[in-house]
Amino acid sequence: MYTLCRKCSFCGSDIKTARTLFRINYSMDKATELDQGYVPHKVETLGLGYNYFKPPPKHENKFSLVLPPPNITGTLHLGHALTATVQDVLVRWKQMQGFETSWVPGIDHAGIATQVVVEKRLWKESRQSRHNIGREAFHKKVWEWKEEKAEVIGEQLRRLNVSLDWEREVFTMDEKRSAAVQEAFIKLFEAGLIYRADQLVNWSCVLQSAISDIEVEHLSINGPTDILVPGYETPVKFGILTRFAYKVHERDDEVVVATTRPETIFGDVAIAVHPEDERYSKLVGSYLWHPFRNEKIPVISDSFVDRDFGTGAVKITPGHDHADFDAGKRHSLPVLQVIDESGRLTVSCGQFQGLRRFEARKIVLAELGRLGLLRGSHDHQMILPICSRSKDVIELLARPQWFINCSDMAARALDDVEKGRLTIVPSRFEKTWHGWLENIRDWCISRQLWWGHQIPAYSCQVRNEPEKKVWVAAKNQQEACRKASRQLDAGEDDVIATQDEDVLDTWFSSALQPFSSFGWPEATEDLSKHYPLSMMETGHDILFFWVARMVMLGTQLTGRLPFDKVLLHGVVCDAHGRKMSKSVGNVVAPEDVIRGITLEGMEKISKASFTSGVLTDDELNRAIQGQRKMFPEGIPECGSDALRFTLLSHNIKNHFINFDVNECYTNKLFCNKIWQATKFTRLWFTNVSNEQELSAVQVKDLGLMDKWILSRLTFMVDTVNRGLENFDFYVATTSLKNFLYYEFCDVYLETTKSGLRNAKEPGAVSHCWTLCTSLDTSLRALAPFMPVLSHHLHHHLPEFPGRGKRFDFPQDLDFREEEIERDVEESQRVVVAIRRLKKIFNVTFKHKPSVTILTSSSSMHNYSDAIQDLAGCHSLTVSNESIPAAYSTSVKDVVGVSTIHLQVPEDVLKHLQADLPKMNMKKEKLLKELEKLNEIVSAASYKINVGVERQDGNSKKISTIQEKLTRIEYILDLIQR
């Protein structure tokens, strides 16, 4: 067999040839027996990359998706696996329904993130920065990184067995996407929506670049906290609110203000108070003396001031705070930048110029003390903005940047949701949508990086007339000169055009993905056929940063919404609900679950991250300790199908999704259960049935248990379809597992064994027909979730005479018989009760267990054989008569209208009766232990002060004690009844 990728890894053939060879080989293999058990890597080697359940399109309906492009910063994590699995399930489901589908894969160049990781690697390998090797050589390094990571990401996606249209694969910096980015920028610029201005941006002094809001982490600080800031040898203390005074000019009075950033005092241009604050009303319009700049600054009134916070007077520093910047605009105040791009004080700070910002803090405080202006300090809760890439403390700086005016586009996007043209699932995120777009700021799209789309904007001036300047957007320098010459009223040859060195925010090119993937701005056949997309599915954490921007730019540039539905999923966390982090050691890579990995293998990967500069020495040690604690035995091989099924067994609409490797391994065992059921069906199909008999089977003539399982099959198919329609994948997976694992394997299959042994009886053929029908239908329903296992087993199913194989998705079955379901449900409760009695009293088959059921149920007699088989009884009697005297040594239980009597050996009963005092003592001891544990976990501070693992341990102890108590109470009740 063949492992399929772009090139077949086995034979080197291209994908098309390899698929042909695969089909031929599978055809030859059709008659072979299934292996003894399910081994994931064996099956996946056989079926990787081949879409077995893909019938030809039945109608003109289309279904198109774009996979959110993973960043080339590294490898895929479980969040990517969830996204790919959700979309793959939807695509496969639509394919099986006869839709023509298009699912575009892609990779994002991830400007800042990629530049950071490549710089780290460069420094680790050669102790060089990008500036040491130059822009061209650095670009070459990044492209090498891209090729390396793109190959790994592609292989990871293929291991997940997703049915992406690989021939459509895009990269956000490939030639066609670059052309789309240029066209989009130029159109927006010429529509007056893109402009250049000095505004405040999130600035990373380490990266020397503006960064987007999504790349800013907000660290909550409760009082004095030491934080390690890149470039500083010792930690910097945050969480202190310092008060100091401004003296009123030419008066013996002062105004006290409070700040967490004394170093920004050099940029103070006013003091603001609330208009209705009587404490300061007489000072409004007067001036204060700036202690360092030796100049006057005004006292202004503005309603944005919170008069109950601090002293009620606020220092206004427009160059380094958003609220102050807006206040400065309202009051026509100057903007002083007192901290530069490298985090040092500027020339505006006089003698303090050149000091690093947090070193300047100490010096400023000392100087204020010397001047007698300090008025004390106290602990303060605050939010500290941190660059997620560099861990630097963000500085707000006013720099010349490119912005998109988003107000009109945001208003349209709001209206689209309000009018129902765009649906967001779950609907609770509509509130988030409104919150962001109603308060939207203009989007800063320029980045001071080397990696990314260089902004297609040119600063143009007339030769020998430098005062005549203009910015134009153009595809190249020649076009820029042509456009500028018309605006500057100069000859084209007299214009000098210089392209801006900055690059575009990565989210700009990503926002074009729904239409650039199909060839926009060219009017391609693909674009008219597959755009707009059928829907967009992604994580809720990028609803604004990506989804809203796709909606805004898509509508603006194409005149149409890029999709009319958005499905959002939660963030994947570890089994304890913690965010996955390499430095914590709780990261689970998809391929490690699929193929398994030892603890040593996990540590090796962490050490490789340290070697490449991704982890620090401290983070490496923490990661290894975390791995040893969470995965002492490593991760067992589970296979891609079990991983996919586990991911979708959770409600993806929840805010967080806790992933447990143990649950994944359980689903691997579920796969084996289906495998064994298929082997069983093949075996008896061969031994029992023939074409003529199978063709003659009528549903109305089937046995009760046959009809029951077909009725449950109908219910399962309806539930799965409903779950898929509503994107409640957990509903679908729960129904599939309940049907296949419990109803089909544990119940129905067991009831067929005695009937199948009598091959000449009509019931045996009926069982074979029902087994095959159930498996054929349920494997097709399972196929979108577990494509490889379903493919492999369905391929090995016997074919029905004259009907052949079906590959469509099952729906609208008509086998439902609810009365039979109720009767079987009643009989199953009896089976559970018999099993429970046998277990409690340790009655095994060697005791030849005898059971009598006294019941007023009219249907219980019809299921006596099934009850006997499932309960493992040597003999079973269902009667409406009173209990015979011979049953004096029996124990009983009551289920509904049925009383169950199980004969128990006399020695067992005597032993249990003798143990009654001990059992009562044990019960009292357990009750005291349970009371003590409940007291601990119900304490108000328990969830705050006790670690997650300890909490889990206590929960397990409580469950164990409760289970023991239930068993003791049950025995006591039965014996004393």
Side-chain angles (χ1 to χ4, degrees):
M1 296 303 175
Y2 303 93
T3 301
L4 299 180
C5 54
R6 293 176 190 168
K7 290 286 185 179
C8 175
S9 62
F10 183 85
C11 65
S13 303
D14 61 55
I15 185 76
K16 187 174 181 181
T17 305
R19 279 180 172 161
T20 303
L21 291 169
F22 176 82
R23 290 192 183 98
I24 293 170
N25 220 336
Y26 236 119
S27 178
M28 292 168 60
D29 188 49
K30 189 174 179 179
T32 60
E33 186 55 76
L34 288 169
D35 284 346
Q36 196 65 31
Y38 170 65
V39 181
H41 69 265
K42 283 188 178 182
V43 180
E44 288 173 7
T45 301
L46 295 175
L48 191 64
Y50 177 53
N51 198 347
Y52 174 80
F53 289 103
K54 189 178 181 181
K58 296 178 183 175
H59 40 68
E60 294 182 355
N61 292 339
K62 309 274 191 305
F63 187 78
S64 55
L65 286 178
V66 167
L67 181 70
N71 294 345
I72 57 164
T73 47
T75 55
L76 301 187
H77 51 64
L78 284 176
H80 294 113
L82 175 62
T83 302
T85 301
V86 168
Q87 292 200 2
D88 189 52
V89 166
L90 292 172
V91 168
R92 290 178 183 273
W93 178 47
K94 292 297 182 182
Q95 286 173 346
M96 294 177 74
Q97 287 183 324
F99 283 67
E100 181 183 344
T101 63
S102 173
W103 186 22
V104 182
I107 299 175
D108 196 290
H109 67 278
I112 289 178
T114 303
Q115 181 161 311
V116 168
V117 295
V118 175
E119 281 198 271
K120 282 184 177 180
R121 175 191 266 191
L122 181 63
W123 181 257
K124 198 81 175 177
E125 290 175 348
S126 61
R127 285 293 186 267
Q128 290 181 303
S129 71
R130 72 181 191 272
H131 300 287
N132 296 137
I133 65 173
R135 188 183 289 261
E136 187 177 342
F138 183 72
H139 269 188
K140 185 179 178 183
K141 290 280 185 185
V142 183
W143 277 103
E144 288 171 359
W145 172 278
K146 180 263 172 185
E147 291 302 321
E148 174 189 327
K149 294 303 177 184
E151 185 176 345
V152 172
I153 289 169
E155 184 60 27
Q156 284 184 296
L157 286 169
R158 287 174 172 83
R159 278 189 168 274
L160 280 169
N161 293 301
V162 292
S163 53
L164 284 157
D165 297 341
W166 289 105
E167 65 277 7
R168 294 184 180 276
E169 188 174 9
V170 300
F171 175 51
T172 52
M173 279 184 65
D174 64 28
E175 188 177 341
K176 288 185 177 179
R177 261 42 66 182
S178 295
V181 166
Q182 281 190 340
E183 182 73 14
F185 185 95
I186 293 168
K187 280 181 175 293
L188 293 169
F189 180 90
E190 293 181 346
L193 294 174
I194 288 182
Y195 64 94
R196 185 175 173 83
D198 282 3
Q199 290 194 22
L200 290 188
V201 293
N202 300 314
W203 185 269
S204 168
C205 298
V206 171
L207 297 176
Q208 294 280 286
S209 175
I211 65 173
S212 67
D213 290 341
I214 198 174
E215 288 154 332
V216 178
E217 296 173 351
H218 297 93
L219 180 64
S220 295
I221 292 177
N222 299 309
T225 306
D226 288 334
I227 304 290
L228 280 170
V229 179
Y232 289 80
E233 295 73 26
T234 57
V236 178
K237 195 174 292 294
F238 295 89
I240 297 175
L241 192 68
T242 301
R243 297 188 303 279
F244 66 91
Y246 270 106
K247 294 293 183 180
V248 179
H249 183 58
E250 297 181 343
R251 283 173 56 182
D252 187 20
D253 201 355
E254 67 181 28
V255 174
V256 177
V257 297
T259 181
T260 59
R261 301 206 58 195
E263 67 274 14
T264 63
I265 189 174
F266 303 103
D268 292 355
V269 295
I271 300 299
V273 296
H274 195 278
E276 298 174 4
D277 194 334
E278 295 179 358
R279 293 173 295 176
Y280 302 110
S281 58
K282 293 180 181 179
L283 288 175
V284 175
S286 60
Y287 289 87
L288 309 175
W289 190 253
H290 197 289
F292 295 112
R293 296 206 309 269
N294 294 320
E295 63 185 40
K296 296 180 294 182
I297 61 173
V299 178
I300 62 174
S301 67
D302 197 300
S303 58
F304 93 97
V305 176
D306 181 358
R307 51 187 155 175
D308 296 324
F309 177 76
T311 65
V314 178
K315 61 194 285 291
I316 303 298
T317 317
H320 298 278
D321 181 271
H322 281 302
D324 293 0
F325 186 83
D326 293 340
K329 278 186 176 180
R330 289 193 295 272
H331 296 275
S332 301
L333 298 171
V335 176
L336 293 181
Q337 183 177 313
V338 295
I339 297 173
D340 68 13
E341 291 86 349
S342 60
R344 293 181 180 273
L345 299 193
T346 68
V347 67
S348 301
C349 305
Q351 63 179 326
F352 301 97
Q353 179 186 355
L355 287 174
R356 295 196 297 176
R357 51 185 171 157
F358 299 124
E359 290 172 347
R361 177 178 295 183
K362 298 177 183 177
I363 296 170
V364 166
L365 289 172
E367 188 64 14
L368 287 170
R370 188 186 69 79
L371 294 170
L373 298 175
L374 273 182
R375 296 295 180 265
S377 63
H378 61 266
D379 300 352
H380 180 63
Q381 290 184 342
M382 62 179 293
I383 302 295
L384 190 67
I386 302 289
C387 173
S388 64
R389 308 299 180 185
S390 63
K391 304 307 175 186
D392 189 18
V393 176
I394 291 299
E395 196 65 57
L396 291 175
L397 297 184
R399 288 203 77 234
Q401 302 282 339
W402 291 100
F403 293 87
I404 297 181
N405 183 336
C406 297
S407 55
D408 289 344
M409 291 189 289
R412 281 200 301 268
L414 283 166
D415 192 57
D416 286 331
V417 170
E418 287 172 0
K419 298 290 175 58
R421 292 186 293 268
L422 178 64
T423 305
I424 300 176
V425 181
S427 59
R428 68 177 182 273
F429 284 107
E430 288 182 11
K431 185 177 180 181
T432 308
W433 183 266
H434 280 77
W436 275 333
L437 293 180
E438 286 171 355
N439 300 286
I440 196 169
R441 290 179 179 271
D442 285 354
W443 175 13
C444 175
I445 56 172
S446 47
R447 300 289 180 265
Q448 291 64 50
L449 302 172
W450 286 5
W451 175 244
H453 293 282
Q454 190 171 351
I455 293 176
Y458 293 78
S459 175
C460 302
Q461 66 181 60
V462 179
R463 200 183 309 272
N464 301 323
E465 294 183 72
E467 73 282 357
K468 296 178 71 174
K469 287 184 178 180
V470 67
W471 279 97
V472 299
K475 294 177 181 177
N476 52 50
Q477 194 174 46
Q478 184 180 356
E479 184 181 289
C481 290
R482 187 167 61 250
K483 287 183 176 182
S485 67
R486 292 195 291 268
Q487 295 184 44
L488 296 170
D489 193 22
E492 194 173 319
D493 294 337
D494 293 329
V495 175
I496 301 171
T498 305
Q499 187 172 2
D500 193 326
E501 289 191 351
D502 288 353
V503 301
L504 284 163
D505 178 14
T506 301
W507 294 106
F508 185 88
S509 52
S510 299
L512 312 180
Q513 202 81 351
F515 44 98
S516 67
S517 295
F518 297 110
W520 186 91
E522 295 178 23
T524 63
E525 182 183 346
D526 270 356
L527 188 65
S528 62
K529 194 174 183 181
H530 301 295
Y531 181 81
L533 302 176
S534 300
M535 62 180 295
M536 174 51 63
E537 193 283 331
T538 190
H540 68 71
D541 51 332
I542 54 174
L543 175 60
F544 174 70
F545 301 104
W546 191 41
V547 178
R549 287 164 175 172
M550 282 189 286
V551 169
M552 289 192 294
L553 292 192
T555 307
Q556 179 67 34
L557 294 169
T558 71
R560 305 176 70 183
L561 276 168
F563 34 78
D564 59 15
K565 185 171 291 182
V566 179
L567 172 62
L568 301 170
H569 66 248
V571 176
V572 180
C573 300
D574 70 10
H576 302 293
R578 300 174 301 181
K579 186 177 179 181
M580 291 193 177
S581 166
K582 287 183 179 179
S583 60
V584 176
N586 63 346
V587 170
V588 177
E591 63 271 23
D592 293 342
V593 179
I594 293 170
R595 67 191 178 203
I597 190 171
T598 62
L599 178 61
E600 293 75 16
M602 297 178 80
E603 291 182 2
K604 187 177 178 181
I605 291 171
S606 293
K607 288 173 182 175
S609 293
F610 168 73
T611 303
S612 64
V614 174
L615 293 179
T616 65
D617 188 57
D618 180 58
E619 288 172 334
L620 172 65
N621 291 329
R622 279 192 286 126
I624 288 176
Q625 291 304 315
Q627 287 166 351
R628 289 174 181 174
K629 198 168 188 178
M630 286 194 69
F631 311 106
E633 306 298 325
I635 298 174
E637 178 190 12
C638 298
S640 65
D641 281 339
L643 171 60
R644 291 163 59 106
F645 199 83
T646 303
L647 287 169
L648 295 185
S649 294
H650 299 266
N651 185 351
I652 68 160
K653 298 174 189 175
N654 287 341
H655 214 76
F656 299 102
I657 300 164
N658 295 353
F659 179 84
D660 190 344
V661 169
N662 294 324
E663 185 184 351
C664 204
Y665 186 72
T666 299
N667 282 324
K668 176 201 169 184
L669 301 180
F670 170 49
C671 293
N672 188 60
K673 191 92 167 178
I674 306 169
W675 184 280
Q676 299 303 334
T678 307
K679 281 176 65 71
F680 176 89
T681 300
R682 279 169 54 90
L683 171 67
W684 287 107
F685 190 93
T686 305
N687 291 346
V688 171
S689 59
N690 61 61
E691 290 192 14
Q692 186 176 357
E693 290 174 326
L694 276 173
S695 301
V697 170
Q698 298 288 319
V699 174
K700 62 181 178 64
D701 299 326
L702 296 174
L704 286 173
M705 291 305 292
D706 297 323
K707 290 180 178 179
W708 170 75
I709 198 62
L710 291 176
S711 182
R712 297 307 298 160
L713 178 70
T714 302
F715 176 78
M716 180 271 286
V717 167
D718 290 345
T719 306
V720 170
N721 274 291
R722 187 172 63 253
L724 287 168
E725 289 284 358
N726 297 326
F727 310 120
D728 290 326
F729 302 103
Y730 74 101
V731 170
T733 54
T734 300
S735 185
L736 280 162
K737 193 168 186 178
N738 186 65
F739 175 79
L740 279 163
Y741 199 109
Y742 303 107
E743 295 174 339
F744 182 73
C745 291
D746 285 356
V747 177
Y748 174 70
L749 192 143
E750 291 298 320
T751 65
T752 65
K753 289 180 178 177
S754 56
L756 287 168
R757 292 190 191 102
N758 300 317
K760 294 182 179 179
E761 294 294 323
V765 176
S766 295
H767 287 335
C768 278
W769 187 93
T770 306
L771 284 166
C772 285
T773 298
S774 299
L775 269 179
D776 165 68
T777 305
S778 54
L779 285 173
R780 285 187 284 123
L782 184 68
F785 303 91
M786 291 184 168
V788 180
L789 179 74
S790 302
H791 161 193
H792 190 75
L793 296 182
H794 192 268
H795 165 79
H796 280 85
L797 270 185
E799 287 191 14
F800 281 90
R803 193 179 79 178
K805 289 288 182 75
R806 295 184 62 178
F807 302 98
D808 57 321
F809 197 84
Q811 56 188 0
D812 300 329
L813 302 185
D814 58 355
F815 299 132
R816 196 79 195 273
E817 295 201 40
E818 294 187 41
E819 185 178 346
I820 291 178
E821 287 188 33
R822 286 192 292 271
D823 291 343
V824 172
E825 186 179 353
E826 183 183 10
S827 71
Q828 289 306 297
R829 288 198 296 271
V830 169
V831 169
V832 170
I834 295 171
R835 287 175 175 173
R836 186 168 57 234
L837 285 172
K838 286 171 62 185
K839 183 178 180 181
I840 289 172
F841 295 99
N842 199 25
V843 175
T844 63
F845 202 75
K846 71 178 182 180
H847 294 114
K848 296 184 177 179
S850 178
V851 172
T852 297
I853 301 172
L854 300 179
T855 183
S856 61
S857 169
S858 58
S859 63
M860 191 66 66
H861 295 271
N862 299 328
Y863 298 96
S864 58
D865 290 342
I867 294 171
Q868 184 172 351
D869 287 340
L870 293 169
C873 303
H874 181 261
S875 66
L876 183 137
T877 304
V878 178
S879 174
N880 300 112
E881 306 293 329
S882 59
I883 185 169
Y887 277 76
S888 57
T889 60
S890 70
V891 290
K892 68 178 182 179
D893 200 358
V894 178
V895 177
V897 297
S898 302
T899 303
I900 302 156
H901 292 266
L902 169 69
Q903 269 194 313
V904 179
E906 289 188 31
D907 58 327
V908 174
L909 274 178
K910 287 178 182 177
H911 178 73
L912 282 170
Q913 287 166 346
D915 277 351
L916 280 177
K918 288 183 181 178
M919 276 192 275
N920 279 310
M921 289 175 62
K922 178 70 172 174
K923 178 182 175 181
E924 291 301 317
K925 185 178 177 181
L926 288 170
L927 284 169
K928 286 180 181 178
E929 194 176 342
L930 181 62
E931 184 181 3
K932 187 177 178 181
L933 276 169
N934 281 330
E935 189 178 332
I936 291 170
V937 302
S938 61
S941 60
Y942 176 72
K943 291 199 173 181
I944 299 171
N945 298 330
V946 179
V948 174
E949 292 180 10
R950 178 90 177 272
Q951 289 183 39
D952 287 346
N954 286 339
S955 296
K956 288 176 183 175
K957 284 180 185 176
I958 289 171
S959 296
T960 301
I961 291 171
Q962 288 173 333
E963 187 179 335
K964 288 178 180 177
L965 280 169
T966 300
R967 186 171 184 273
I968 289 172
E969 288 169 353
Y970 192 77
I971 292 173
L972 291 172
D973 181 57
L974 285 174
I975 292 176
Q976 296 169 354
R977 189 180 291 175

